[in-house]
Amino acid sequence: MIIFDKADYACGGVIYRTIREDDKQYLVASIQPSERILSSVQPKALYEKIVSFSKLIVRLLKYDALLIPTEKAIHSNRRSLQNIIRDAKYEEVALKKSYQFSYSPYSYSYQKFFVA
């Protein structure tokens, strides 16, 4: 998902991934807005809109849950959002398998998630 500002400039977005495990389907969200959009809106308001939209996708696709990786280097590239996610006190779950998020230039994988 791409986030646009009022002048229609792209300002980062959300990386979504579907994970299927044990007859369940999850939508995984990695929230990656630009500093520009965060300087013009309240980070918490932006985060809440992204989560709300993501939950709508979960409902429409009949997925089981919205998951946010617990690893802060993956769940958001912005400290303000990392703090919001940390403070949300979400339930944590661990899936059976580890999933690759990126390969290069840094190799990240995830297995533990917050249930949003």
PDB file of all heavy atoms in Angstrom, residues 18-49:
ATOM      1  N   THR A  18       0.965 -12.260   2.867  1.00  0.00           N
ATOM      2  CA  THR A  18       0.069 -13.294   3.363  1.00  0.00           C
ATOM      3  C   THR A  18       0.907 -14.477   3.817  1.00  0.00           C
ATOM      4  O   THR A  18       1.790 -14.928   3.086  1.00  0.00           O
ATOM      5  CB  THR A  18      -0.908 -13.754   2.261  1.00  0.00           C
ATOM      6  OG1 THR A  18      -1.749 -12.655   1.902  1.00  0.00           O
ATOM      7  CG2 THR A  18      -1.769 -14.908   2.733  1.00  0.00           C
ATOM      8  N   ILE A  19       0.624 -14.958   4.995  1.00  0.00           N
ATOM      9  CA  ILE A  19       1.254 -16.181   5.494  1.00  0.00           C
ATOM     10  C   ILE A  19       0.144 -17.177   5.779  1.00  0.00           C
ATOM     11  O   ILE A  19      -0.839 -16.862   6.454  1.00  0.00           O
ATOM     12  CB  ILE A  19       2.075 -15.918   6.775  1.00  0.00           C
ATOM     13  CG1 ILE A  19       3.308 -15.079   6.444  1.00  0.00           C
ATOM     14  CG2 ILE A  19       2.468 -17.244   7.438  1.00  0.00           C
ATOM     15  CD1 ILE A  19       4.182 -14.753   7.636  1.00  0.00           C
ATOM     16  N   ARG A  20       0.332 -18.375   5.256  1.00  0.00           N
ATOM     17  CA  ARG A  20      -0.606 -19.477   5.503  1.00  0.00           C
ATOM     18  C   ARG A  20       0.118 -20.525   6.331  1.00  0.00           C
ATOM     19  O   ARG A  20       1.186 -20.991   5.938  1.00  0.00           O
ATOM     20  CB  ARG A  20      -1.085 -20.065   4.190  1.00  0.00           C
ATOM     21  CG  ARG A  20      -1.957 -19.125   3.402  1.00  0.00           C
ATOM     22  CD  ARG A  20      -2.378 -19.724   2.058  1.00  0.00           C
ATOM     23  NE  ARG A  20      -3.246 -18.820   1.346  1.00  0.00           N
ATOM     24  CZ  ARG A  20      -2.834 -17.875   0.497  1.00  0.00           C
ATOM     25  NH1 ARG A  20      -1.545 -17.725   0.261  1.00  0.00           N
ATOM     26  NH2 ARG A  20      -3.696 -17.081  -0.107  1.00  0.00           N
ATOM     27  N   GLU A  21      -0.494 -20.872   7.470  1.00  0.00           N
ATOM     28  CA  GLU A  21       0.107 -21.877   8.339  1.00  0.00           C
ATOM     29  C   GLU A  21      -1.007 -22.553   9.127  1.00  0.00           C
ATOM     30  O   GLU A  21      -1.874 -21.882   9.685  1.00  0.00           O
ATOM     31  CB  GLU A  21       1.120 -21.214   9.279  1.00  0.00           C
ATOM     32  CG  GLU A  21       2.008 -22.204  10.002  1.00  0.00           C
ATOM     33  CD  GLU A  21       3.094 -21.540  10.811  1.00  0.00           C
ATOM     34  OE1 GLU A  21       4.134 -21.195  10.241  1.00  0.00           O
ATOM     35  OE2 GLU A  21       2.877 -21.373  12.035  1.00  0.00           O
ATOM     36  N   ASP A  22      -0.992 -23.867   9.157  1.00  0.00           N
ATOM     37  CA  ASP A  22      -1.985 -24.642   9.916  1.00  0.00           C
ATOM     38  C   ASP A  22      -3.421 -24.243   9.592  1.00  0.00           C
ATOM     39  O   ASP A  22      -4.218 -23.946  10.474  1.00  0.00           O
ATOM     40  CB  ASP A  22      -1.752 -24.509  11.416  1.00  0.00           C
ATOM     41  CG  ASP A  22      -0.503 -25.234  11.882  1.00  0.00           C
ATOM     42  OD1 ASP A  22      -0.024 -26.139  11.161  1.00  0.00           O
ATOM     43  OD2 ASP A  22      -0.011 -24.892  12.964  1.00  0.00           O
ATOM     44  N   ASP A  23      -3.757 -24.217   8.320  1.00  0.00           N
ATOM     45  CA  ASP A  23      -5.118 -23.885   7.871  1.00  0.00           C
ATOM     46  C   ASP A  23      -5.584 -22.495   8.294  1.00  0.00           C
ATOM     47  O   ASP A  23      -6.781 -22.227   8.358  1.00  0.00           O
ATOM     48  CB  ASP A  23      -6.133 -24.934   8.343  1.00  0.00           C
ATOM     49  CG  ASP A  23      -5.858 -26.308   7.764  1.00  0.00           C
ATOM     50  OD1 ASP A  23      -5.412 -26.378   6.595  1.00  0.00           O
ATOM     51  OD2 ASP A  23      -6.076 -27.308   8.474  1.00  0.00           O
ATOM     52  N   LYS A  24      -4.653 -21.624   8.613  1.00  0.00           N
ATOM     53  CA  LYS A  24      -4.983 -20.236   8.937  1.00  0.00           C
ATOM     54  C   LYS A  24      -4.265 -19.333   7.958  1.00  0.00           C
ATOM     55  O   LYS A  24      -3.221 -19.680   7.414  1.00  0.00           O
ATOM     56  CB  LYS A  24      -4.577 -19.901  10.370  1.00  0.00           C
ATOM     57  CG  LYS A  24      -5.390 -20.680  11.387  1.00  0.00           C
ATOM     58  CD  LYS A  24      -5.214 -20.102  12.759  1.00  0.00           C
ATOM     59  CE  LYS A  24      -6.035 -20.906  13.736  1.00  0.00           C
ATOM     60  NZ  LYS A  24      -6.962 -20.119  14.464  1.00  0.00           N
ATOM     61  N   GLN A  25      -4.874 -18.165   7.742  1.00  0.00           N
ATOM     62  CA  GLN A  25      -4.270 -17.161   6.868  1.00  0.00           C
ATOM     63  C   GLN A  25      -4.114 -15.870   7.656  1.00  0.00           C
ATOM     64  O   GLN A  25      -5.049 -15.418   8.314  1.00  0.00           O
ATOM     65  CB  GLN A  25      -5.146 -16.910   5.644  1.00  0.00           C
ATOM     66  CG  GLN A  25      -5.263 -18.118   4.741  1.00  0.00           C
ATOM     67  CD  GLN A  25      -6.024 -17.780   3.496  1.00  0.00           C
ATOM     68  OE1 GLN A  25      -5.421 -17.562   2.461  1.00  0.00           O
ATOM     69  NE2 GLN A  25      -7.336 -17.723   3.587  1.00  0.00           N
ATOM     70  N   TYR A  26      -2.923 -15.298   7.552  1.00  0.00           N
ATOM     71  CA  TYR A  26      -2.621 -14.078   8.273  1.00  0.00           C
ATOM     72  C   TYR A  26      -2.167 -13.006   7.293  1.00  0.00           C
ATOM     73  O   TYR A  26      -1.457 -13.291   6.332  1.00  0.00           O
ATOM     74  CB  TYR A  26      -1.493 -14.317   9.281  1.00  0.00           C
ATOM     75  CG  TYR A  26      -1.773 -15.427  10.248  1.00  0.00           C
ATOM     76  CD1 TYR A  26      -1.162 -16.673  10.107  1.00  0.00           C
ATOM     77  CD2 TYR A  26      -2.647 -15.251  11.316  1.00  0.00           C
ATOM     78  CE1 TYR A  26      -1.404 -17.697  11.002  1.00  0.00           C
ATOM     79  CE2 TYR A  26      -2.895 -16.270  12.217  1.00  0.00           C
ATOM     80  CZ  TYR A  26      -2.273 -17.498  12.050  1.00  0.00           C
ATOM     81  OH  TYR A  26      -2.522 -18.511  12.940  1.00  0.00           O
ATOM     82  N   LEU A  27      -2.532 -11.768   7.582  1.00  0.00           N
ATOM     83  CA  LEU A  27      -2.000 -10.636   6.855  1.00  0.00           C
ATOM     84  C   LEU A  27      -0.920 -10.027   7.737  1.00  0.00           C
ATOM     85  O   LEU A  27      -1.177  -9.658   8.883  1.00  0.00           O
ATOM     86  CB  LEU A  27      -3.090  -9.596   6.572  1.00  0.00           C
ATOM     87  CG  LEU A  27      -2.646  -8.389   5.743  1.00  0.00           C
ATOM     88  CD1 LEU A  27      -2.285  -8.831   4.321  1.00  0.00           C
ATOM     89  CD2 LEU A  27      -3.731  -7.329   5.714  1.00  0.00           C
ATOM     90  N   VAL A  28       0.295  -9.957   7.214  1.00  0.00           N
ATOM     91  CA  VAL A  28       1.419  -9.389   7.953  1.00  0.00           C
ATOM     92  C   VAL A  28       1.672  -7.995   7.407  1.00  0.00           C
ATOM     93  O   VAL A  28       1.753  -7.802   6.193  1.00  0.00           O
ATOM     94  CB  VAL A  28       2.679 -10.276   7.805  1.00  0.00           C
ATOM     95  CG1 VAL A  28       3.859  -9.643   8.525  1.00  0.00           C
ATOM     96  CG2 VAL A  28       2.409 -11.676   8.328  1.00  0.00           C
ATOM     97  N   ALA A  29       1.802  -7.028   8.299  1.00  0.00           N
ATOM     98  CA  ALA A  29       2.020  -5.638   7.895  1.00  0.00           C
ATOM     99  C   ALA A  29       3.346  -5.126   8.441  1.00  0.00           C
ATOM    100  O   ALA A  29       3.637  -5.266   9.629  1.00  0.00           O
ATOM    101  CB  ALA A  29       0.881  -4.756   8.403  1.00  0.00           C
ATOM    102  N   SER A  30       4.125  -4.530   7.550  1.00  0.00           N
ATOM    103  CA  SER A  30       5.353  -3.820   7.915  1.00  0.00           C
ATOM    104  C   SER A  30       5.142  -2.374   7.475  1.00  0.00           C
ATOM    105  O   SER A  30       5.006  -2.092   6.283  1.00  0.00           O
ATOM    106  CB  SER A  30       6.556  -4.444   7.204  1.00  0.00           C
ATOM    107  OG  SER A  30       7.721  -3.745   7.506  1.00  0.00           O
ATOM    108  N   ILE A  31       5.093  -1.466   8.439  1.00  0.00           N
ATOM    109  CA  ILE A  31       4.670  -0.089   8.188  1.00  0.00           C
ATOM    110  C   ILE A  31       5.896   0.784   7.945  1.00  0.00           C
ATOM    111  O   ILE A  31       6.727   0.954   8.838  1.00  0.00           O
ATOM    112  CB  ILE A  31       3.824   0.413   9.372  1.00  0.00           C
ATOM    113  CG1 ILE A  31       2.643  -0.547   9.602  1.00  0.00           C
ATOM    114  CG2 ILE A  31       3.347   1.831   9.132  1.00  0.00           C
ATOM    115  CD1 ILE A  31       1.929  -0.357  10.915  1.00  0.00           C
ATOM    116  N   GLN A  32       5.984   1.360   6.743  1.00  0.00           N
ATOM    117  CA  GLN A  32       7.189   2.064   6.311  1.00  0.00           C
ATOM    118  C   GLN A  32       6.871   3.452   5.732  1.00  0.00           C
ATOM    119  O   GLN A  32       7.099   3.715   4.561  1.00  0.00           O
ATOM    120  CB  GLN A  32       7.918   1.217   5.254  1.00  0.00           C
ATOM    121  CG  GLN A  32       8.161  -0.229   5.638  1.00  0.00           C
ATOM    122  CD  GLN A  32       9.134  -0.395   6.776  1.00  0.00           C
ATOM    123  OE1 GLN A  32      10.098   0.346   6.899  1.00  0.00           O
ATOM    124  NE2 GLN A  32       8.886  -1.359   7.644  1.00  0.00           N
ATOM    125  N   PRO A  33       6.348   4.375   6.538  1.00  0.00           N
ATOM    126  CA  PRO A  33       6.072   5.719   6.023  1.00  0.00           C
ATOM    127  C   PRO A  33       7.350   6.550   5.922  1.00  0.00           C
ATOM    128  O   PRO A  33       8.352   6.248   6.573  1.00  0.00           O
ATOM    129  CB  PRO A  33       5.137   6.314   7.074  1.00  0.00           C
ATOM    130  CG  PRO A  33       5.573   5.658   8.336  1.00  0.00           C
ATOM    131  CD  PRO A  33       5.982   4.251   7.946  1.00  0.00           C
ATOM    132  N   SER A  34       7.286   7.595   5.136  1.00  0.00           N
ATOM    133  CA  SER A  34       8.430   8.508   5.047  1.00  0.00           C
ATOM    134  C   SER A  34       8.391   9.488   6.216  1.00  0.00           C
ATOM    135  O   SER A  34       7.345   9.711   6.834  1.00  0.00           O
ATOM    136  CB  SER A  34       8.391   9.280   3.727  1.00  0.00           C
ATOM    137  OG  SER A  34       7.316  10.205   3.743  1.00  0.00           O
ATOM    138  N   GLU A  35       9.543  10.079   6.495  1.00  0.00           N
ATOM    139  CA  GLU A  35       9.603  11.126   7.526  1.00  0.00           C
ATOM    140  C   GLU A  35       8.731  12.310   7.126  1.00  0.00           C
ATOM    141  O   GLU A  35       8.155  12.984   7.983  1.00  0.00           O
ATOM    142  CB  GLU A  35      11.044  11.593   7.728  1.00  0.00           C
ATOM    143  CG  GLU A  35      11.884  10.645   8.544  1.00  0.00           C
ATOM    144  CD  GLU A  35      11.460  10.564  10.003  1.00  0.00           C
ATOM    145  OE1 GLU A  35      10.804  11.498  10.522  1.00  0.00           O
ATOM    146  OE2 GLU A  35      11.782   9.544  10.620  1.00  0.00           O
ATOM    147  N   ARG A  36       8.635  12.568   5.828  1.00  0.00           N
ATOM    148  CA  ARG A  36       7.852  13.708   5.350  1.00  0.00           C
ATOM    149  C   ARG A  36       6.389  13.609   5.767  1.00  0.00           C
ATOM    150  O   ARG A  36       5.815  14.572   6.263  1.00  0.00           O
ATOM    151  CB  ARG A  36       7.958  13.829   3.831  1.00  0.00           C
ATOM    152  CG  ARG A  36       7.191  15.044   3.324  1.00  0.00           C
ATOM    153  CD  ARG A  36       7.635  15.443   1.973  1.00  0.00           C
ATOM    154  NE  ARG A  36       6.899  14.710   0.964  1.00  0.00           N
ATOM    155  CZ  ARG A  36       7.135  14.819  -0.326  1.00  0.00           C
ATOM    156  NH1 ARG A  36       8.109  15.581  -0.753  1.00  0.00           N
ATOM    157  NH2 ARG A  36       6.424  14.174  -1.204  1.00  0.00           N
ATOM    158  N   ILE A  37       5.803  12.444   5.603  1.00  0.00           N
ATOM    159  CA  ILE A  37       4.390  12.312   5.981  1.00  0.00           C
ATOM    160  C   ILE A  37       4.242  12.365   7.497  1.00  0.00           C
ATOM    161  O   ILE A  37       3.292  12.947   8.010  1.00  0.00           O
ATOM    162  CB  ILE A  37       3.730  11.048   5.375  1.00  0.00           C
ATOM    163  CG1 ILE A  37       2.195  11.145   5.439  1.00  0.00           C
ATOM    164  CG2 ILE A  37       4.187   9.784   6.037  1.00  0.00           C
ATOM    165  CD1 ILE A  37       1.596  12.104   4.479  1.00  0.00           C
ATOM    166  N   LEU A  38       5.205  11.800   8.224  1.00  0.00           N
ATOM    167  CA  LEU A  38       5.118  11.817   9.682  1.00  0.00           C
ATOM    168  C   LEU A  38       5.297  13.213  10.264  1.00  0.00           C
ATOM    169  O   LEU A  38       4.832  13.488  11.368  1.00  0.00           O
ATOM    170  CB  LEU A  38       6.135  10.858  10.293  1.00  0.00           C
ATOM    171  CG  LEU A  38       5.788   9.373  10.140  1.00  0.00           C
ATOM    172  CD1 LEU A  38       6.940   8.518  10.638  1.00  0.00           C
ATOM    173  CD2 LEU A  38       4.500   9.033  10.854  1.00  0.00           C
ATOM    174  N   SER A  39       5.964  14.092   9.523  1.00  0.00           N
ATOM    175  CA  SER A  39       6.128  15.461  10.014  1.00  0.00           C
ATOM    176  C   SER A  39       4.894  16.323   9.752  1.00  0.00           C
ATOM    177  O   SER A  39       4.774  17.413  10.285  1.00  0.00           O
ATOM    178  CB  SER A  39       7.364  16.112   9.378  1.00  0.00           C
ATOM    179  OG  SER A  39       7.155  16.330   8.004  1.00  0.00           O
ATOM    180  N   SER A  40       3.969  15.809   8.940  1.00  0.00           N
ATOM    181  CA  SER A  40       2.783  16.603   8.618  1.00  0.00           C
ATOM    182  C   SER A  40       1.497  16.047   9.230  1.00  0.00           C
ATOM    183  O   SER A  40       0.439  16.655   9.089  1.00  0.00           O
ATOM    184  CB  SER A  40       2.626  16.723   7.100  1.00  0.00           C
ATOM    185  OG  SER A  40       2.370  15.463   6.530  1.00  0.00           O
ATOM    186  N   VAL A  41       1.581  14.902   9.887  1.00  0.00           N
ATOM    187  CA  VAL A  41       0.414  14.307  10.546  1.00  0.00           C
ATOM    188  C   VAL A  41       0.839  13.802  11.920  1.00  0.00           C
ATOM    189  O   VAL A  41       2.023  13.710  12.213  1.00  0.00           O
ATOM    190  CB  VAL A  41      -0.185  13.130   9.727  1.00  0.00           C
ATOM    191  CG1 VAL A  41      -0.633  13.587   8.353  1.00  0.00           C
ATOM    192  CG2 VAL A  41       0.805  11.983   9.624  1.00  0.00           C
ATOM    193  N   GLN A  42      -0.128  13.456  12.730  1.00  0.00           N
ATOM    194  CA  GLN A  42       0.163  12.834  14.019  1.00  0.00           C
ATOM    195  C   GLN A  42       0.502  11.360  13.765  1.00  0.00           C
ATOM    196  O   GLN A  42      -0.316  10.631  13.186  1.00  0.00           O
ATOM    197  CB  GLN A  42      -1.044  12.929  14.953  1.00  0.00           C
ATOM    198  CG  GLN A  42      -1.367  14.323  15.406  1.00  0.00           C
ATOM    199  CD  GLN A  42      -0.272  14.868  16.311  1.00  0.00           C
ATOM    200  OE1 GLN A  42       0.297  14.162  17.136  1.00  0.00           O
ATOM    201  NE2 GLN A  42       0.029  16.147  16.147  1.00  0.00           N
ATOM    202  N   PRO A  43       1.681  10.879  14.169  1.00  0.00           N
ATOM    203  CA  PRO A  43       2.056   9.484  13.928  1.00  0.00           C
ATOM    204  C   PRO A  43       1.023   8.484  14.448  1.00  0.00           C
ATOM    205  O   PRO A  43       0.718   7.506  13.771  1.00  0.00           O
ATOM    206  CB  PRO A  43       3.396   9.332  14.649  1.00  0.00           C
ATOM    207  CG  PRO A  43       3.981  10.707  14.600  1.00  0.00           C
ATOM    208  CD  PRO A  43       2.794  11.628  14.767  1.00  0.00           C
ATOM    209  N   LYS A  44       0.466   8.739  15.631  1.00  0.00           N
ATOM    210  CA  LYS A  44      -0.530   7.806  16.181  1.00  0.00           C
ATOM    211  C   LYS A  44      -1.782   7.757  15.308  1.00  0.00           C
ATOM    212  O   LYS A  44      -2.339   6.681  15.069  1.00  0.00           O
ATOM    213  CB  LYS A  44      -0.886   8.169  17.617  1.00  0.00           C
ATOM    214  CG  LYS A  44      -1.796   7.134  18.259  1.00  0.00           C
ATOM    215  CD  LYS A  44      -1.776   7.241  19.759  1.00  0.00           C
ATOM    216  CE  LYS A  44      -2.689   6.252  20.414  1.00  0.00           C
ATOM    217  NZ  LYS A  44      -2.123   4.931  20.564  1.00  0.00           N
ATOM    218  N   ALA A  45      -2.223   8.890  14.803  1.00  0.00           N
ATOM    219  CA  ALA A  45      -3.399   8.923  13.928  1.00  0.00           C
ATOM    220  C   ALA A  45      -3.118   8.161  12.636  1.00  0.00           C
ATOM    221  O   ALA A  45      -3.978   7.407  12.160  1.00  0.00           O
ATOM    222  CB  ALA A  45      -3.801  10.360  13.628  1.00  0.00           C
ATOM    223  N   LEU A  46      -1.945   8.356  12.064  1.00  0.00           N
ATOM    224  CA  LEU A  46      -1.574   7.621  10.854  1.00  0.00           C
ATOM    225  C   LEU A  46      -1.543   6.128  11.130  1.00  0.00           C
ATOM    226  O   LEU A  46      -2.104   5.336  10.375  1.00  0.00           O
ATOM    227  CB  LEU A  46      -0.219   8.088  10.321  1.00  0.00           C
ATOM    228  CG  LEU A  46       0.310   7.322   9.107  1.00  0.00           C
ATOM    229  CD1 LEU A  46      -0.581   7.550   7.886  1.00  0.00           C
ATOM    230  CD2 LEU A  46       1.750   7.712   8.812  1.00  0.00           C
ATOM    231  N   TYR A  47      -0.917   5.748  12.238  1.00  0.00           N
ATOM    232  CA  TYR A  47      -0.837   4.333  12.611  1.00  0.00           C
ATOM    233  C   TYR A  47      -2.235   3.729  12.771  1.00  0.00           C
ATOM    234  O   TYR A  47      -2.513   2.644  12.257  1.00  0.00           O
ATOM    235  CB  TYR A  47      -0.035   4.172  13.908  1.00  0.00           C
ATOM    236  CG  TYR A  47       0.000   2.750  14.381  1.00  0.00           C
ATOM    237  CD1 TYR A  47       0.831   1.815  13.769  1.00  0.00           C
ATOM    238  CD2 TYR A  47      -0.820   2.323  15.426  1.00  0.00           C
ATOM    239  CE1 TYR A  47       0.842   0.502  14.181  1.00  0.00           C
ATOM    240  CE2 TYR A  47      -0.814   1.016  15.846  1.00  0.00           C
ATOM    241  CZ  TYR A  47       0.022   0.105  15.218  1.00  0.00           C
ATOM    242  OH  TYR A  47       0.016  -1.204  15.630  1.00  0.00           O
ATOM    243  N   GLU A  48      -3.111   4.418  13.462  1.00  0.00           N
ATOM    244  CA  GLU A  48      -4.471   3.909  13.674  1.00  0.00           C
ATOM    245  C   GLU A  48      -5.226   3.744  12.354  1.00  0.00           C
ATOM    246  O   GLU A  48      -5.970   2.776  12.178  1.00  0.00           O
ATOM    247  CB  GLU A  48      -5.232   4.814  14.636  1.00  0.00           C
ATOM    248  CG  GLU A  48      -4.723   4.698  16.060  1.00  0.00           C
ATOM    249  CD  GLU A  48      -5.285   5.733  17.013  1.00  0.00           C
ATOM    250  OE1 GLU A  48      -5.996   6.671  16.562  1.00  0.00           O
ATOM    251  OE2 GLU A  48      -4.999   5.614  18.219  1.00  0.00           O
ATOM    252  N   LYS A  49      -5.036   4.664  11.405  1.00  0.00           N
ATOM    253  CA  LYS A  49      -5.681   4.539  10.093  1.00  0.00           C
ATOM    254  C   LYS A  49      -5.127   3.342   9.325  1.00  0.00           C
ATOM    255  O   LYS A  49      -5.872   2.614   8.667  1.00  0.00           O
ATOM    256  CB  LYS A  49      -5.520   5.813   9.283  1.00  0.00           C
ATOM    257  CG  LYS A  49      -6.386   6.952   9.776  1.00  0.00           C
ATOM    258  CD  LYS A  49      -6.268   8.157   8.882  1.00  0.00           C
ATOM    259  CE  LYS A  49      -7.019   9.350   9.419  1.00  0.00           C
ATOM    260  NZ  LYS A  49      -8.420   9.197   9.588  1.00  0.00           N
TER     261      LYS A  49
END
